Amino acid sequence: VRSIKNFAPINRIPPEVFSLVPGYWDKHDMDKNLATLTHVCRGWREVLIGNSSLWTRLNSMNADKTRVYIKRSKSMPL
């Protein structure tokens, strides 16, 4: 049985396309926007966390946050 949320227009965008959207944001707001969007729903979280290039800009003095970014950036250069 398909959930009603699967029919929402945003959920029809292919994950490969959706994961490109943050690349067009202002780099100064990227950190805040990523954190917010990874909490919208499980699907968005998986797509955004799975895009390692989004997690390569470290601009935090917070050690825990830095660890998360390093883990999510995988083998991408920081």
Coordinates of all heavy atoms in Angstrom, one line a residue:
V1 N 0.9 -1.2 0.0 CA 0.0 0.0 0.0 C 0.9 1.2 0.0 O 1.8 1.4 0.9 CB -0.9 0.0 1.2 CG1 -1.7 1.3 1.3 CG2 -1.8 -1.2 1.3
R2 N 0.7 2.1 -1.0 CA 1.5 3.3 -1.1 C 1.0 4.4 -0.1 O -0.2 4.6 0.0 CB 1.5 3.9 -2.5 CG 2.2 2.9 -3.4 CD 2.2 3.5 -4.8 NE 3.4 4.5 -4.8 CZ 3.7 5.2 -5.9 NH1 2.9 5.1 -6.9 NH2 4.7 6.0 -5.8
S3 N 1.9 5.0 0.5 CA 1.5 6.1 1.5 C 1.1 7.3 0.7 O 1.6 7.6 -0.4 CB 2.7 6.4 2.3 OG 2.5 7.6 3.0
I4 N 0.2 8.1 1.2 CA -0.2 9.4 0.6 C 0.9 10.3 0.4 O 0.9 11.1 -0.6 CB -1.4 10.0 1.4 CG1 -2.1 11.1 0.6 CG2 -0.9 10.6 2.7 CD1 -3.0 10.7 -0.4
K5 N 1.9 10.3 1.3 CA 3.1 11.2 1.1 C 3.9 10.9 -0.2 O 4.5 11.8 -0.7 CB 4.0 11.2 2.3 CG 4.8 9.9 2.5 CD 5.7 9.9 3.7 CE 6.4 8.6 3.7 NZ 7.4 8.6 4.7
N6 N 3.8 9.7 -0.7 CA 4.5 9.4 -1.9 C 4.0 10.2 -3.1 O 4.6 10.3 -4.2 CB 4.5 7.9 -2.2 CG 5.3 7.1 -1.2 OD1 6.2 7.6 -0.6 ND2 4.9 5.9 -1.0
F7 N 2.8 10.7 -3.0 CA 2.2 11.5 -4.1 C 2.4 13.0 -4.1 O 2.0 13.7 -5.0 CB 0.7 11.2 -4.2 CG 0.4 9.7 -4.5 CD1 -0.1 8.9 -3.5 CD2 0.6 9.2 -5.7 CE1 -0.3 7.6 -3.7 CE2 0.3 7.9 -6.0 CZ -0.1 7.1 -5.0
A8 N 3.1 13.5 -3.0 CA 3.4 14.9 -2.9 C 4.4 15.2 -4.0 O 5.3 14.5 -4.3 CB 4.0 15.2 -1.6
P9 N 4.2 16.4 -4.7 CA 5.0 16.8 -5.8 C 6.5 16.7 -5.5 O 7.3 16.3 -6.4 CB 4.5 18.2 -6.2 CG 3.1 18.2 -5.7 CD 3.1 17.4 -4.5
I10 N 6.9 17.1 -4.3 CA 8.3 17.2 -4.0 C 8.9 15.7 -4.0 O 10.1 15.5 -4.3 CB 8.6 17.9 -2.7 CG1 10.1 18.1 -2.4 CG2 8.0 17.1 -1.5 CD1 10.7 19.1 -3.3
N11 N 8.1 14.8 -3.7 CA 8.6 13.4 -3.6 C 8.7 12.7 -5.0 O 9.2 11.6 -5.1 CB 7.7 12.6 -2.7 CG 7.9 13.0 -1.3 OD1 9.0 13.4 -0.9 ND2 6.8 12.9 -0.5
R12 N 8.2 13.4 -6.0 CA 8.3 12.9 -7.4 C 9.6 13.3 -8.1 O 10.0 12.8 -9.1 CB 7.2 13.4 -8.2 CG 5.9 12.8 -7.8 CD 4.7 13.1 -8.8 NE 3.6 13.4 -8.0 CZ 2.7 14.3 -8.2 NH1 2.8 15.2 -9.2 NH2 1.7 14.5 -7.4
I13 N 10.4 14.2 -7.4 CA 11.7 14.7 -8.0 C 12.7 13.5 -7.7 O 12.8 13.1 -6.6 CB 12.2 16.0 -7.3 CG1 11.2 17.1 -7.5 CG2 13.6 16.3 -7.8 CD1 11.5 18.4 -6.8
P14 N 13.4 13.1 -8.8 CA 14.4 12.1 -8.6 C 15.4 12.5 -7.6 O 15.8 13.6 -7.5 CB 15.0 11.9 -10.0 CG 14.0 12.5 -10.9 CD 13.3 13.6 -10.1
P15 N 15.9 11.6 -6.7 CA 16.9 11.9 -5.7 C 18.1 12.5 -6.3 O 18.7 13.4 -5.7 CB 17.2 10.6 -5.0 CG 16.0 9.7 -5.3 CD 15.5 10.2 -6.6
E16 N 18.5 12.1 -7.5 CA 19.7 12.7 -8.1 C 19.6 14.2 -8.4 O 20.5 14.9 -8.3 CB 20.0 11.9 -9.4 CG 20.3 10.4 -9.2 CD 19.0 9.6 -9.1 OE1 17.9 10.1 -9.5 OE2 19.1 8.5 -8.7
V17 N 18.4 14.6 -8.7 CA 18.1 16.0 -9.0 C 17.9 16.7 -7.7 O 18.5 17.8 -7.5 CB 16.8 16.1 -9.9 CG1 16.4 17.6 -10.1 CG2 17.0 15.4 -11.2
F18 N 17.2 16.2 -6.8 CA 16.9 16.8 -5.5 C 18.3 17.1 -4.8 O 18.4 18.1 -4.2 CB 16.0 16.0 -4.6 CG 15.8 16.6 -3.3 CD1 15.0 17.7 -3.2 CD2 16.3 16.0 -2.1 CE1 14.7 18.3 -1.9 CE2 16.1 16.6 -0.9 CZ 15.3 17.7 -0.8
S19 N 19.2 16.2 -4.9 CA 20.5 16.3 -4.2 C 21.3 17.5 -4.7 O 22.3 17.9 -4.1 CB 21.3 15.0 -4.2 OG 21.7 14.8 -5.5
L20 N 21.0 18.0 -5.9 CA 21.7 19.1 -6.5 C 21.3 20.4 -6.0 O 22.0 21.4 -6.1 CB 21.6 19.0 -8.1 CG 22.2 17.8 -8.8 CD1 21.8 17.8 -10.2 CD2 23.7 17.7 -8.5
V21 N 20.1 20.5 -5.5 CA 19.5 21.8 -5.1 C 20.4 22.6 -4.1 O 20.6 23.8 -4.3 CB 18.1 21.6 -4.6 CG1 17.5 22.9 -3.9 CG2 17.2 21.1 -5.7
P22 N 20.9 22.0 -3.1 CA 21.7 22.7 -2.1 C 23.0 23.4 -2.8 O 23.5 24.4 -2.2 CB 22.2 21.7 -1.1 CG 21.1 20.7 -1.2 CD 20.7 20.6 -2.6
G23 N 23.4 22.9 -3.9 CA 24.6 23.5 -4.6 C 24.3 24.9 -5.1 O 25.2 25.7 -5.4
Y24 N 23.0 25.3 -5.1 CA 22.6 26.6 -5.6 C 22.4 27.6 -4.4 O 22.0 28.8 -4.7 CB 21.4 26.6 -6.5 CG 21.7 25.8 -7.7 CD1 21.5 24.5 -7.9 CD2 22.3 26.5 -8.8 CE1 21.8 23.8 -9.0 CE2 22.6 25.8 -10.0 CZ 22.4 24.5 -10.1 OH 22.7 23.8 -11.2
W25 N 22.5 27.2 -3.2 CA 22.3 28.0 -2.0 C 23.5 28.9 -1.8 O 24.6 28.6 -2.2 CB 22.1 27.2 -0.8 CG 20.8 26.4 -0.7 CD1 19.7 26.6 -1.4 CD2 20.6 25.3 0.1 NE1 18.8 25.7 -1.1 CE2 19.3 24.8 -0.2 CE3 21.4 24.5 1.0 CZ2 18.8 23.7 0.4 CZ3 20.9 23.4 1.6 CH2 19.6 23.0 1.3
D26 N 23.2 30.0 -1.1 CA 24.3 30.9 -0.6 C 25.2 30.1 0.3 O 24.7 29.5 1.3 CB 23.7 32.1 0.1 CG 24.7 33.1 0.6 OD1 25.9 32.8 0.5 OD2 24.3 34.1 1.2
K27 N 26.4 30.0 0.1 CA 27.4 29.2 0.9 C 27.4 29.6 2.4 O 27.7 28.8 3.2 CB 28.8 29.3 0.3 CG 28.9 28.8 -1.1 CD 28.6 27.4 -1.3 CE 28.7 26.9 -2.7 NZ 28.0 25.8 -3.1
H28 N 27.0 30.8 2.7 CA 27.0 31.3 4.1 C 25.9 30.7 4.9 O 26.0 30.5 6.1 CB 27.0 32.8 4.2 CG 28.2 33.5 3.6 ND1 28.3 33.9 2.3 CD2 29.4 33.7 4.2 CE1 29.5 34.4 2.2 NE2 30.2 34.3 3.3
D29 N 24.8 30.3 4.2 CA 23.6 29.7 4.8 C 23.6 28.2 4.7 O 22.6 27.6 5.2 CB 22.3 30.3 4.3 CG 22.2 31.8 4.6 OD1 22.7 32.2 5.7 OD2 21.5 32.5 3.9
M30 N 24.5 27.6 4.0 CA 24.5 26.2 3.7 C 24.4 25.3 4.9 O 23.6 24.4 5.0 CB 25.7 25.8 2.9 CG 25.8 24.3 2.6 SD 24.8 23.8 1.3 CE 25.8 24.2 -0.1
D31 N 25.2 25.6 5.9 CA 25.2 24.8 7.1 C 23.8 24.8 7.8 O 23.3 23.7 8.1 CB 26.3 25.4 8.1 CG 26.5 24.5 9.2 OD1 26.7 23.3 9.0 OD2 26.5 25.1 10.4
K32 N 23.2 25.9 8.0 CA 21.9 26.0 8.6 C 20.8 25.3 7.8 O 20.0 24.6 8.3 CB 21.5 27.5 8.9 CG 20.2 27.7 9.6 CD 19.9 29.1 9.8 CE 19.4 29.7 8.5 NZ 18.9 31.0 8.6
N33 N 20.9 25.6 6.5 CA 19.9 24.9 5.6 C 20.0 23.4 5.6 O 19.0 22.7 5.6 CB 20.0 25.5 4.2 CG 19.6 27.0 4.1 OD1 18.7 27.4 4.9 ND2 20.1 27.7 3.2
L34 N 21.2 22.9 5.5 CA 21.4 21.4 5.5 C 20.9 20.8 6.8 O 20.2 19.8 6.7 CB 22.9 21.1 5.4 CG 23.4 21.0 3.9 CD1 24.9 20.8 4.0 CD2 22.7 20.0 3.1
A35 N 21.2 21.4 7.9 CA 20.7 20.9 9.2 C 19.2 20.9 9.2 O 18.6 19.9 9.6 CB 21.2 21.7 10.3
T36 N 18.6 21.9 8.7 CA 17.1 22.0 8.7 C 16.5 21.0 7.8 O 15.6 20.2 8.2 CB 16.6 23.4 8.3 OG1 17.2 24.4 9.2 CG2 15.1 23.5 8.3
L37 N 17.0 20.9 6.6 CA 16.4 19.9 5.6 C 16.6 18.5 5.9 O 15.8 17.6 5.5 CB 17.0 20.2 4.2 CG 16.5 21.6 3.6 CD1 17.1 21.8 2.2 CD2 15.0 21.6 3.5
T38 N 17.7 18.1 6.7 CA 17.9 16.7 7.0 C 16.9 16.3 8.1 O 16.8 15.1 8.4 CB 19.3 16.5 7.5 OG1 19.6 17.3 8.6 CG2 20.3 16.7 6.4
H39 N 16.1 17.2 8.6 CA 15.1 16.9 9.6 C 13.7 17.0 9.1 O 12.7 16.8 9.8 CB 15.3 17.8 10.8 CG 16.5 17.5 11.6 ND1 17.7 18.2 11.4 CD2 16.8 16.7 12.6 CE1 18.6 17.7 12.2 NE2 18.1 16.8 12.9
V40 N 13.5 17.2 7.8 CA 12.2 17.3 7.2 C 11.5 15.9 7.2 O 10.4 15.8 7.6 CB 12.2 17.9 5.8 CG1 10.9 17.8 5.1 CG2 12.7 19.4 5.9
C41 N 12.2 14.9 6.6 CA 11.6 13.6 6.5 C 12.8 12.6 6.2 O 13.9 13.0 5.9 CB 10.6 13.5 5.4 SG 11.1 13.6 3.8
R42 N 12.5 11.4 6.4 CA 13.5 10.3 6.2 C 14.1 10.3 4.8 O 15.3 10.2 4.6 CB 12.9 9.0 6.5 CG 14.0 7.9 6.5 CD 13.4 6.5 6.7 NE 12.6 6.5 7.9 CZ 11.4 5.9 8.1 NH1 10.9 5.2 7.1 NH2 10.7 5.9 9.2
G43 N 13.2 10.5 3.8 CA 13.7 10.5 2.4 C 14.7 11.7 2.1 O 15.7 11.5 1.5
W44 N 14.3 12.9 2.6 CA 15.2 14.0 2.4 C 16.5 13.8 3.1 O 17.6 14.1 2.6 CB 14.6 15.3 2.8 CG 13.5 15.8 2.0 CD1 12.7 15.1 1.1 CD2 13.0 17.1 1.9 NE1 11.7 15.9 0.5 CE2 11.9 17.2 1.0 CE3 13.4 18.3 2.5 CZ2 11.3 18.3 0.6 CZ3 12.7 19.5 2.2 CH2 11.7 19.5 1.2
R45 N 16.4 13.3 4.3 CA 17.7 13.0 5.1 C 18.6 12.0 4.4 O 19.8 12.3 4.3 CB 17.3 12.4 6.5 CG 18.4 12.2 7.4 CD 17.9 11.8 8.8 NE 19.0 11.6 9.7 CZ 19.7 12.6 10.3 NH1 19.3 13.9 10.1 NH2 20.7 12.3 11.1
E46 N 18.0 11.0 3.8 CA 18.9 10.0 3.1 C 19.5 10.6 1.9 O 20.7 10.3 1.7 CB 18.0 8.8 2.7 CG 17.6 7.9 3.9 CD 16.6 6.8 3.5 OE1 16.2 6.7 2.3 OE2 16.1 6.1 4.5
V47 N 18.8 11.3 1.1 CA 19.3 11.9 -0.1 C 20.4 12.9 0.3 O 21.5 12.9 -0.3 CB 18.2 12.6 -0.9 CG1 18.8 13.5 -2.0 CG2 17.3 11.6 -1.5
L48 N 20.2 13.8 1.2 CA 21.1 14.9 1.5 C 22.4 14.3 2.2 O 23.5 14.7 1.9 CB 20.5 16.0 2.4 CG 19.4 16.7 1.6 CD1 18.6 17.7 2.6 CD2 19.9 17.5 0.5
I49 N 22.2 13.4 3.2 CA 23.3 12.8 3.8 C 24.1 12.0 2.9 O 25.4 11.9 2.9 CB 22.9 12.0 5.1 CG1 22.4 13.0 6.2 CG2 24.0 11.1 5.6 CD1 21.9 12.3 7.4
G50 N 23.5 11.4 1.9 CA 24.2 10.5 0.9 C 25.0 11.3 -0.1 O 25.8 10.7 -0.8
N51 N 24.8 12.6 -0.2 CA 25.5 13.4 -1.1 C 26.7 14.0 -0.4 O 26.7 15.0 0.2 CB 24.6 14.6 -1.7 CG 25.3 15.4 -2.7 OD1 26.5 15.3 -2.9 ND2 24.5 16.2 -3.4
S52 N 27.8 13.3 -0.5 CA 29.0 13.6 0.3 C 29.6 15.0 -0.1 O 30.2 15.6 0.8 CB 30.1 12.5 0.1 OG 30.4 12.3 -1.3
S53 N 29.4 15.5 -1.3 CA 30.0 16.8 -1.6 C 29.3 17.9 -0.8 O 29.9 19.0 -0.7 CB 29.8 17.0 -3.1 OG 28.5 17.1 -3.5
L54 N 28.1 17.7 -0.3 CA 27.5 18.8 0.5 C 28.1 19.0 1.9 O 27.9 20.0 2.5 CB 26.0 18.4 0.7 CG 25.1 18.3 -0.5 CD1 23.7 17.9 -0.1 CD2 25.0 19.7 -1.2
W55 N 28.9 18.0 2.3 CA 29.5 18.0 3.7 C 31.0 18.3 3.7 O 31.7 17.9 4.6 CB 29.2 16.7 4.3 CG 27.7 16.4 4.3 CD1 27.1 15.6 3.4 CD2 26.7 16.9 5.1 NE1 25.7 15.6 3.6 CE2 25.5 16.4 4.7 CE3 26.8 17.7 6.3 CZ2 24.3 16.7 5.3 CZ3 25.6 18.1 6.9 CH2 24.4 17.5 6.4
T56 N 31.5 19.0 2.7 CA 32.9 19.3 2.6 C 33.4 20.6 3.1 O 34.6 20.9 3.2 CB 33.4 19.1 1.1 OG1 32.7 20.0 0.3 CG2 33.2 17.7 0.6
R57 N 32.4 21.5 3.4 CA 32.8 22.8 3.9 C 32.7 22.9 5.4 O 31.6 23.0 5.9 CB 31.9 23.9 3.3 CG 32.1 24.1 1.8 CD 31.3 25.2 1.3 NE 31.4 26.5 2.1 CZ 32.1 27.5 1.7 NH1 32.7 27.5 0.5 NH2 32.1 28.6 2.4
L58 N 33.8 22.8 6.1 CA 33.8 22.9 7.5 C 34.0 24.4 7.9 O 35.0 25.0 7.6 CB 35.0 22.1 8.1 CG 34.9 20.6 7.8 CD1 36.1 19.9 8.3 CD2 33.7 20.0 8.6
N59 N 33.1 24.9 8.7 CA 33.2 26.3 9.2 C 32.7 26.3 10.6 O 32.0 27.3 11.0 CB 32.5 27.3 8.3 CG 31.1 27.0 8.1 OD1 30.6 26.0 8.6 ND2 30.4 27.8 7.4
S60 N 33.1 25.3 11.4 CA 32.6 25.3 12.7 C 33.8 24.9 13.7 O 34.7 24.2 13.3 CB 31.5 24.2 12.8 OG 31.2 24.0 14.2
M61 N 33.7 25.5 14.9 CA 34.7 25.1 15.9 C 34.1 24.0 16.8 O 34.8 23.6 17.7 CB 35.0 26.4 16.7 CG 35.6 27.5 15.9 SD 37.2 27.0 15.1 CE 38.2 26.9 16.5
N62 N 32.9 23.6 16.5 CA 32.3 22.5 17.3 C 32.9 21.2 16.9 O 32.7 20.7 15.8 CB 30.8 22.6 17.1 CG 30.0 21.5 17.9 OD1 30.3 20.4 17.8 ND2 29.1 22.0 18.6
A63 N 33.5 20.5 17.8 CA 34.2 19.2 17.5 C 33.2 18.1 17.1 O 33.4 17.4 16.1 CB 34.9 18.7 18.7
D64 N 32.0 18.0 17.7 CA 31.0 17.0 17.3 C 30.5 17.3 15.9 O 30.4 16.4 15.1 CB 29.8 17.0 18.3 CG 30.2 16.5 19.7 OD1 31.2 15.6 19.7 OD2 29.6 16.9 20.7
K65 N 30.2 18.5 15.6 CA 29.7 18.9 14.3 C 30.8 18.6 13.2 O 30.5 18.1 12.1 CB 29.4 20.4 14.3 CG 28.7 20.8 13.0 CD 28.3 22.3 13.2 CE 27.2 22.7 12.3 NZ 26.8 24.1 12.5
T66 N 32.0 18.9 13.5 CA 33.2 18.6 12.6 C 33.3 17.1 12.3 O 33.4 16.7 11.2 CB 34.5 19.1 13.2 OG1 34.4 20.6 13.3 CG2 35.6 18.8 12.3
R67 N 33.1 16.3 13.4 CA 33.1 14.8 13.2 C 32.0 14.4 12.2 O 32.2 13.5 11.4 CB 33.0 14.1 14.5 CG 34.3 14.1 15.3 CD 34.2 13.2 16.5 NE 35.1 13.6 17.5 CZ 34.8 14.5 18.5 NH1 33.6 14.9 18.8 NH2 35.7 14.8 19.4
V68 N 30.8 14.9 12.4 CA 29.7 14.6 11.5 C 30.0 14.9 10.1 O 29.8 14.1 9.2 CB 28.4 15.3 12.0 CG1 27.3 15.2 11.0 CG2 27.9 14.7 13.3
Y69 N 30.5 16.1 9.9 CA 30.9 16.6 8.5 C 31.9 15.7 7.9 O 31.8 15.3 6.7 CB 31.3 18.0 8.5 CG 30.2 19.0 8.3 CD1 29.1 19.1 9.2 CD2 30.1 19.8 7.2 CE1 28.1 20.0 9.0 CE2 29.1 20.7 7.0 CZ 28.1 20.8 7.9 OH 27.1 21.7 7.7
I70 N 32.9 15.3 8.7 CA 34.0 14.4 8.1 C 33.4 13.1 7.8 O 33.7 12.5 6.7 CB 35.1 14.3 9.2 CG1 35.9 15.7 9.2 CG2 36.1 13.2 8.8 CD1 36.9 15.7 10.4
K71 N 32.6 12.5 8.6 CA 32.0 11.2 8.3 C 31.1 11.3 7.1 O 31.2 10.4 6.2 CB 31.1 10.8 9.5 CG 30.4 9.5 9.3 CD 29.6 9.1 10.6 CE 28.8 7.8 10.3 NZ 28.0 7.5 11.5
R72 N 30.3 12.3 6.9 CA 29.3 12.5 5.8 C 30.1 12.8 4.5 O 29.5 12.5 3.4 CB 28.3 13.5 6.1 CG 27.3 13.0 7.2 CD 26.3 14.0 7.5 NE 25.4 13.5 8.6 CZ 24.4 14.2 9.2 NH1 24.2 15.4 8.8 NH2 23.7 13.6 10.1
S73 N 31.2 13.5 4.6 CA 31.9 13.8 3.4 C 32.6 12.7 2.8 O 33.1 12.7 1.6 CB 32.9 15.0 3.7 OG 34.0 14.5 4.5
K74 N 32.7 11.6 3.5 CA 33.3 10.3 3.1 C 34.7 10.6 2.5 O 35.6 11.1 3.3 CB 32.5 9.6 2.0 CG 31.1 9.3 2.6 CD 30.2 8.7 1.6 CE 28.8 8.5 2.2 NZ 27.8 8.3 1.3
S75 N 35.0 10.3 1.3 CA 36.4 10.4 0.8 C 36.6 11.7 0.0 O 37.6 12.0 -0.6 CB 36.8 9.3 -0.1 OG 35.9 9.2 -1.2
M76 N 35.6 12.6 0.0 CA 35.7 13.9 -0.7 C 36.7 14.8 0.1 O 36.8 14.8 1.3 CB 34.3 14.6 -0.7 CG 33.3 13.9 -1.5 SD 33.5 13.9 -3.2 CE 33.2 15.7 -3.6
P77 N 37.4 15.6 -0.7 CA 38.4 16.5 0.0 C 37.6 17.6 0.7 O 36.6 18.1 0.3 CB 39.2 17.1 -1.2 CG 38.4 16.8 -2.4 CD 37.5 15.7 -2.1
L78 N 38.1 17.9 1.9 CA 37.5 19.0 2.7 C 38.1 20.3 2.4 O 39.2 20.5 2.1 CB 37.7 18.6 4.2 CG 37.2 17.3 4.7 CD1 37.6 17.0 6.1 CD2 35.7 17.3 4.6

